[in-house]
Amino acid sequence: MRFGVLGPIQILDGDRITAPGPAKHRAILAALLMRAGHVVTLDRLIAVVWGEDPPASAESVLRVYVSALRRLVGAETIRTVPGGYLIAITPDQVDAHRFDRMVERARRARDAGRTAEAADELRGALALWRGPALADVDSGELRRTQAVRLEELRLGATEERIDLDLALGRHGEVVGELRALVAAYPLRERAWGQLMLALHQAGRRSEALAAYQDARRVLVEELGLEPGPELRTAHDKVLAGQGRERGAVPQETPPDIADFTGREEVLSWIARQAPAAGGAPVHLVLHGPAGSGKTAVAVHAATLLGAEFPDGRLYAALRAGNRPAGAGAVLEDLLRSLGCPEGAVPAGFDDRVRLYRSMVASRRLLVVLDDAVGESQIRPLLPTGPGCLTLVTSRSPLYGLEASRAFELGVFDTAGSVAMLSRVAGEPRVRAEPQAARRIAELCGGLPLALRIAGSRLARRPGWTLEHLAVRLDDERGRLDELTAGDLAVRSSLGLGYRGLAEEEQRLLRRLGALSGPDVAPWAAAAAFGGLRVDRALEELAGAGLLQARGLDDAGQERYGWHDLTRLYAAERLVEEEGTAARVLAVVAREVLERVRRARGLLLPAEPGTGRTLVRTAEQSLAMETTHLRESARWLGAERGFLVAAVADFHRAGLAEAAWRLAFYLTPFFELRAHHEDWHATNRIGLEAARLAGHRHGEALLLRALADLYRIEGRLDDAARALQAALSHFRDLADRSEEARARYRLGLVLLAQERPAEAERCLAECLAEFESAGDARGRADALRGLGSVRRAEDLLTISLDAYRDLGDPRGEAAALRELALVHLERRRLPAARDCAERGLRIDRRLGDRLPEASGLLLLARVARADGVPEAARATAEEALAIFKEYGDRRGTARASLVLAAVHLDLDEVDGAFAGIAVAVAEFDALGDRRGLAEAEELAREARRRRGLWL
């Protein structure tokens, strides 16, 4: 078994690579690995995990974490010793210690004159690095004492290896690496000197001298110092050398950028697609939105592959200002590049095409055609010679270009964005403010052009902190103004695409700028466009690279997304050309509210979402099909991101009633799918909107919904306060029906607070009120709540029948789970299993995954009580997987605890400790004292068992 700390924490066992999941586990393992074979004290581990403010239970929780790690790496690997713990491995099992040993071996080889061997040894040592040391370890203590030291060792080893490579004549191989190194560490004079010598040895004397001037300027501006002896010596060597003349082979591609970052996937794809000598010519299209780095990728790939094309590299820019460049004019430039005398270029377009094809027929060329507008512009420019490669960049995929292959360039993820920011602005600054760097990456949306501009602004303003720039970018109204540096500007890049659209497409793009959602379905785009069909216009916008077609969603709708900066540009155009967004949003709001109200009505068959309770007849209940219920949740799931954003959009536009109603309509869906963050966000906005509008009924409904959320999260006191506030509003409004509904929820809170007598009294009063008012839905809910308090099978059975009469299978499934619990407590296991399985079948028909997980966990408990632990384990693991998939932390904790108990039943003590560790971590994060107490009780039993078996 081997371990990795030079990057994210890794455990390598044969071909299997694993890593501790929880962050605190990673920190403990990292601390032990950095002291492999030595004792790490308890105080040291507590400081690593919790810093200077550990909890009172730190030692006991630490023991649980260590038990979980032992299951991962082997019980004998981590030993308990007096005063702390020791990981019983050799230093060579840890990559950081192997790195140290390999560097020492390389230095011995260098001192003995074995230069090539020393370079290879250092190269092997540096290959151990997979990223920043301890990259996924969230411990300030370890970063301070270990990560910084390791990073300095890596830089020193890199510079030593480059010295050796230069001595071996490998100057061409290290220029790009050195440019990246001085961009990241501009104050390292040794790296600047190495770059100058590498350029000089490659015959690039002027670039070497320019590098010296760059280095001198940085040192004077940053430190007020002139270059030191090492850099001056390198300068003198270059001045004394001789340059080389450029050959006649055209090499026209723009200079590669030194801080090129990432894009390994597309570069690998281009390399695989490149033709062999004598093979058929290959045409590759790199397409993506404005600013996605298409040109940079094409130029970088051309530089990497240049040696394979002995007849040179051609480059043509296919856009002249705001307009496409004519193919005839481009052909004239290409012919001259190929050596055609100026007076010999034919005047006619067809003659130019024929001459161009004749001149390239016997050459192996790499041609970059940059920023193509359409297929007709490209066709005459494609080289026909065997073994030629064409790289075309375009905002459109150019699907009509014959015999071509396309690759879509997206934006960077967070890690790639931060890496690019580091390359441009300097790694030390980014490393010093990691949170601000991630925020800048987020605000730039991972768009390479935006990241380059942000990094350039930081590089030119050494007095700025990253946090300062992040704050400036955070203001949407000025973000496009901030993303300008010299002749680079996101706004002008987007403007090129916008001005090339037809008027109808421009109008649709503008109106979509009123919506801040991550993507949009055609129905919502049509609403913004005044109800007109938009399918064709959406396809045109996607073809222009201003929208991205994201395929079909879970509801079978095509979805179109766009970059956030494109949205800001569209919003700017809307304000400048049509006025404020409120008029567009008012039209959209009517369509959104009607669709979501209907979907809510299917989730809660007797309560469509207006706040009024409607009773369905038996005939209506029979007409409600399970398929419709399932599809309503599926549609809401597909539209979730759009609808959450719409609540804020409506509120910002002053559409207060639309904002609070939409927030309220969404609450049963958020509860069903455990989307608690969205629930919090929309409820907060909805409450603010209702209060600003003076709509007390809306405020009361949202306070009631907020209480439901607090109760589910275990914040019972907060839930009670929210309900008391809602009750006050309902009383003032003389709305007895909604007052009863709020009191029903108060009964559930009292039950959760272990105040059964008060809960029973509250629920009984609600039941009487609902029955008096003829509120069938309220009656069914109150019967279920009262049955749960009294553990009364008869009341739960009546509630089950009531839900069936309402046509509410979700209520039916919930009542069946309550009945199963009553049967389980009374050891009526066949009846418990029957009820749980019936409820589970309903949940699966509806596609309700979280209720399904609850049903599975219930069946696991039944199986455990029935003495069938293997079946209990399989079922609990299935439930746990669903809870994790949906991010339900409380469900994850409960399932882990049941699974731990099953492991104890099977005498699998290590498995029990693993489950307990997960449960403790989740309950601790949730502040669930009762859950922590249950976990600690089970942990005591597990420790007792371990003592017996050992």
Side-chain angles (χ1 to χ4, degrees):
M1 183 176 287
R2 290 194 169 197
F3 301 86
V5 297
L6 302 180
I9 298 296
Q10 275 190 351
I11 302 169
L12 298 91
D13 191 359
D15 294 332
R16 191 167 64 95
I17 299 177
T18 58
K24 291 182 173 63
H25 294 192
R26 292 195 298 273
I28 293 169
L29 182 58
L32 294 171
L33 292 173
M34 295 310 299
R35 295 278 296 163
H38 296 82
V39 176
V40 182
T41 66
L42 284 175
D43 289 344
R44 169 68 174 163
L45 288 174
I46 288 171
V48 162
V49 175
W50 288 284
E52 298 179 356
D53 189 23
S57 59
E59 285 195 25
S60 62
V61 174
L62 186 66
R63 284 195 294 272
V64 173
Y65 292 162
V66 171
S67 295
L69 284 174
R70 282 173 169 154
R71 176 170 174 77
L72 198 60
V73 303
E76 295 302 317
T77 303
I78 299 178
R79 298 178 182 173
T80 302
V81 295
Y85 294 95
L86 174 148
I87 189 162
I89 58 174
T90 64
D92 273 349
Q93 289 177 260
V94 183
D95 57 3
H97 302 308
R98 287 204 307 281
F99 173 77
D100 288 339
R101 291 171 185 266
M102 293 175 74
V103 170
E104 285 303 316
R105 284 202 300 268
R107 287 169 178 164
R108 288 196 296 270
R110 177 199 61 195
D111 293 343
R114 301 193 303 273
T115 305
E117 178 186 334
D120 290 343
E121 188 73 22
L122 282 173
R123 192 170 286 105
L126 291 164
L128 295 173
W129 287 73
R130 296 167 288 106
L134 308 173
D136 58 349
V137 175
D138 185 14
S139 170
E141 177 73 13
L142 286 179
R143 281 197 299 271
R144 184 171 61 254
T145 59
Q146 298 292 345
V148 174
R149 176 186 66 84
L150 289 168
E151 181 63 19
E152 188 59 36
L153 290 174
R154 182 185 70 83
L155 287 172
T158 300
E159 290 172 338
E160 288 181 36
R161 197 219 75 230
I162 290 172
D163 274 339
L164 296 171
D165 281 340
L166 289 173
L168 293 166
R170 297 170 179 168
H171 43 270
E173 300 175 19
V174 298
V175 169
E177 180 182 8
L178 282 165
R179 287 198 185 278
L181 193 60
V182 298
Y185 302 95
L187 300 180
R188 293 184 80 91
E189 292 190 49
R190 183 179 183 184
W192 280 109
Q194 290 174 323
L195 175 60
M196 291 172 59
L197 292 175
L199 289 167
H200 173 53
Q201 290 176 17
R204 297 155 68 178
R205 184 168 178 262
S206 61
E207 291 181 61
L209 293 172
Y212 176 79
Q213 294 302 325
D214 290 341
R216 181 180 179 277
R217 185 181 65 255
V218 170
L219 292 169
V220 170
E221 290 178 356
E222 294 287 334
L223 303 177
L225 298 174
E226 291 289 336
E230 185 175 8
L231 200 51
R232 290 198 303 272
T233 299
H235 185 230
D236 292 342
K237 287 181 180 180
V238 175
L239 288 173
Q242 297 295 322
R244 300 178 186 175
E245 294 184 4
R246 183 181 174 186
V249 174
Q251 302 289 349
E252 295 185 344
T253 51
D256 196 8
I257 52 176
D259 48 23
F260 185 88
T261 305
R263 299 302 195 193
E264 290 84 3
E265 183 181 1
V266 64
L267 292 172
S268 175
W269 177 79
I270 292 171
R272 292 195 307 271
Q273 302 296 327
V282 171
H283 314 308
L284 304 179
V285 178
L286 307 177
H287 66 99
S292 58
K294 301 179 290 293
T295 300
V297 170
V299 170
H300 190 67
T303 303
L304 294 175
L305 297 172
E308 299 180 24
F309 297 88
D311 297 313
R313 303 193 298 266
L314 300 179
Y315 174 85
L318 301 184
R319 196 185 291 268
N322 296 333
R323 292 178 295 182
V330 174
L331 276 170
E332 182 178 357
D333 291 340
L334 291 174
L335 287 169
R336 287 176 179 167
S337 298
L338 291 168
C340 182
E342 187 168 345
V345 175
F349 176 75
D350 291 341
D351 291 335
R352 288 181 181 182
V353 173
R354 281 193 292 272
L355 180 58
Y356 174 68
R357 289 175 178 168
S358 296
M359 294 188 74
V360 300
S362 59
R363 306 189 194 206
R364 190 175 185 214
L365 294 162
L366 191 157
V367 181
V368 176
L369 302 175
D370 193 21
D371 208 4
V373 177
E375 293 88 346
S376 61
Q377 185 190 32
I378 290 292
R379 290 189 183 99
L381 310 177
L382 298 175
T384 56
C388 286
L389 172 64
T390 310
L391 298 177
V392 182
T393 71
S394 176
R395 300 183 187 192
S396 165
L398 302 177
Y399 289 134
L401 189 63
E402 300 83 355
S404 66
R405 304 159 202 168
F407 191 104
E408 183 176 8
L409 281 178
V411 297
F412 285 133
D413 60 14
T414 301
S417 298
V418 172
M420 183 172 183
L421 199 63
S422 297
R423 299 289 293 273
V424 180
E427 189 176 349
R429 294 176 72 181
V430 171
R431 191 170 60 243
E433 296 182 77
Q435 290 184 343
R438 287 191 291 272
R439 181 61 181 151
I440 292 171
E442 178 187 341
L443 292 168
C444 290
L447 191 71
L449 174 60
L451 290 163
R452 177 164 298 284
I453 292 170
S456 297
R457 296 196 72 189
L458 288 168
R460 293 202 315 272
R461 293 170 173 81
W464 278 18
T465 63
L466 272 71
E467 179 62 28
H468 175 74
L469 179 59
V471 169
R472 294 174 70 111
L473 289 172
D474 203 41
D475 181 2
E476 283 194 351
R477 295 167 297 180
R479 191 175 305 164
L480 291 176
D481 295 324
E482 293 293 333
L483 291 175
T484 302
D487 61 352
L488 291 178
V490 172
R491 182 184 282 111
S492 60
S493 179
L494 292 168
L496 286 174
Y498 177 75
R499 287 187 289 274
L501 297 173
E503 183 179 344
E504 181 183 81
E505 292 150 14
Q506 287 184 348
R507 186 164 66 253
L508 177 58
L509 186 73
R510 288 195 302 269
R511 294 186 178 181
L512 289 178
L515 307 169
S516 66
D519 50 34
V520 66
W523 70 265
F529 207 47
L532 302 176
R533 288 186 62 84
V534 294
D535 300 78
R536 179 68 178 171
L538 288 169
E539 290 174 6
E540 291 297 326
L541 289 172
L546 292 166
L547 296 182
Q548 289 87 49
R550 294 181 175 169
L552 299 180
D553 60 25
D554 288 344
Q557 308 170 119
E558 182 76 59
R559 299 204 77 80
Y560 291 89
W562 57 357
H563 195 277
D564 199 45
L565 296 174
T566 307
R567 178 186 64 80
L568 293 179
Y569 178 79
E572 277 188 359
R573 302 316 313 153
L574 177 64
V575 171
E576 291 186 20
E577 298 183 36
E578 297 188 44
T580 65
R583 182 175 58 83
V584 175
L585 287 170
V587 177
V588 173
R590 288 195 291 272
E591 183 69 18
V592 167
L593 289 174
E594 179 56 25
R595 286 176 179 255
V596 178
R597 186 193 64 77
R598 291 201 304 266
R600 177 187 168 109
L602 290 171
L603 290 178
L604 297 174
E607 188 186 52
T610 62
R612 299 187 304 273
T613 300
L614 304 180
V615 180
R616 295 182 180 273
T617 64
E619 290 77 11
Q620 288 173 315
S621 298
L622 291 172
M624 292 292 297
E625 296 181 5
T626 302
T627 300
H628 295 156
L629 299 173
R630 183 174 62 246
E631 293 304 321
S632 67
R634 185 171 294 170
W635 181 81
L636 286 167
E639 297 291 351
R640 171 185 155 208
F642 170 77
L643 294 172
V644 168
V647 175
D649 291 339
F650 297 158
H651 184 41
R652 277 194 299 269
L655 304 172
E657 183 162 358
W660 79 253
R661 283 196 178 278
L662 181 55
F664 177 67
Y665 288 172
L666 289 170
T667 54
F669 168 70
F670 290 153
E671 180 175 359
L672 180 67
R673 295 290 177 87
H675 296 313
H676 294 173
E677 289 184 10
D678 290 341
W679 194 349
H680 271 296
T682 54
N683 203 283
R684 175 182 53 78
I685 295 170
L687 269 172
E688 185 178 332
R691 286 165 177 161
L692 285 174
H695 204 300
R696 295 190 67 193
H697 188 251
E699 182 181 354
L701 289 173
L702 285 164
L703 283 167
R704 193 186 74 190
L706 183 62
D708 287 338
L709 175 55
Y710 284 153
R711 174 172 51 81
I712 291 168
E713 292 181 331
R715 297 169 58 180
L716 302 179
D717 292 341
D718 290 335
R721 280 191 288 272
L723 285 170
Q724 292 296 348
L727 282 166
S728 174
H729 286 310
F730 288 134
R731 290 190 194 105
D732 291 346
L733 294 166
D735 191 336
R736 296 191 63 185
S737 176
E738 292 300 347
E739 181 183 348
R741 287 201 159 279
R743 287 186 60 75
Y744 160 71
R745 285 163 169 79
L746 185 60
L748 299 182
V749 171
L750 291 168
L751 179 59
Q753 288 177 323
E754 299 183 351
R755 295 158 66 183
E758 295 171 74
E760 181 177 2
R761 184 166 57 254
C762 186
L763 291 168
E765 292 171 358
C766 292
L767 178 59
E769 177 63 33
F770 289 138
E771 288 181 335
S772 173
D775 185 339
R777 171 84 196 189
R779 175 176 175 270
D781 290 339
L783 282 167
R784 179 159 62 91
L786 202 55
S788 178
V789 174
R790 295 176 179 172
R791 317 312 289 159
E793 182 182 347
D794 57 339
L795 292 178
L796 291 171
T797 302
I798 296 170
S799 77
L800 177 62
D801 293 337
Y803 285 123
R804 286 175 180 154
D805 291 341
L806 288 167
D808 183 0
R810 289 192 170 92
E812 185 180 343
L816 283 167
R817 285 194 296 274
E818 293 289 350
L819 272 169
L821 275 172
V822 171
H823 290 312
L824 176 61
E825 290 166 0
R826 296 173 183 175
R827 301 291 298 178
R828 298 201 293 254
L829 301 184
R833 185 178 297 105
D834 176 66
C835 287
E837 288 176 346
R838 285 160 58 197
L840 185 61
R841 285 194 293 271
I842 294 172
D843 293 327
R844 284 175 168 165
R845 284 202 307 273
L846 292 168
D848 291 352
R849 297 283 281 157
L850 284 170
E852 176 188 347
S854 297
L856 286 167
L857 196 59
L858 187 53
L859 280 172
R861 293 176 59 189
V862 172
R864 181 171 177 251
D866 204 18
V868 192
E870 289 293 353
R873 172 161 58 186
T875 309
E877 285 175 344
E878 190 178 352
L880 179 60
I882 296 172
F883 285 129
K884 285 183 174 180
E885 178 186 352
Y886 280 82
D888 187 332
R889 304 188 70 175
R890 195 174 304 279
T892 297
R894 289 290 170 194
S896 298
L897 213 54
V898 170
L899 202 53
V902 172
H903 279 300
L904 280 183
D905 293 341
L906 293 166
D907 294 333
E908 297 172 354
V909 181
D910 285 344
F913 273 118
I916 293 167
V918 172
V920 166
E922 297 294 357
F923 284 136
D924 187 38
L926 292 166
D928 188 333
R929 297 176 184 174
R930 186 190 303 177
L932 282 171
E934 291 177 21
E936 181 56 34
E937 183 179 351
L938 197 61
R940 282 196 294 272
E941 174 61 18
R943 287 194 291 271
R944 187 186 68 79
R945 294 280 191 92
R946 169 160 282 171
L948 285 174
W949 304 133
L950 293 178

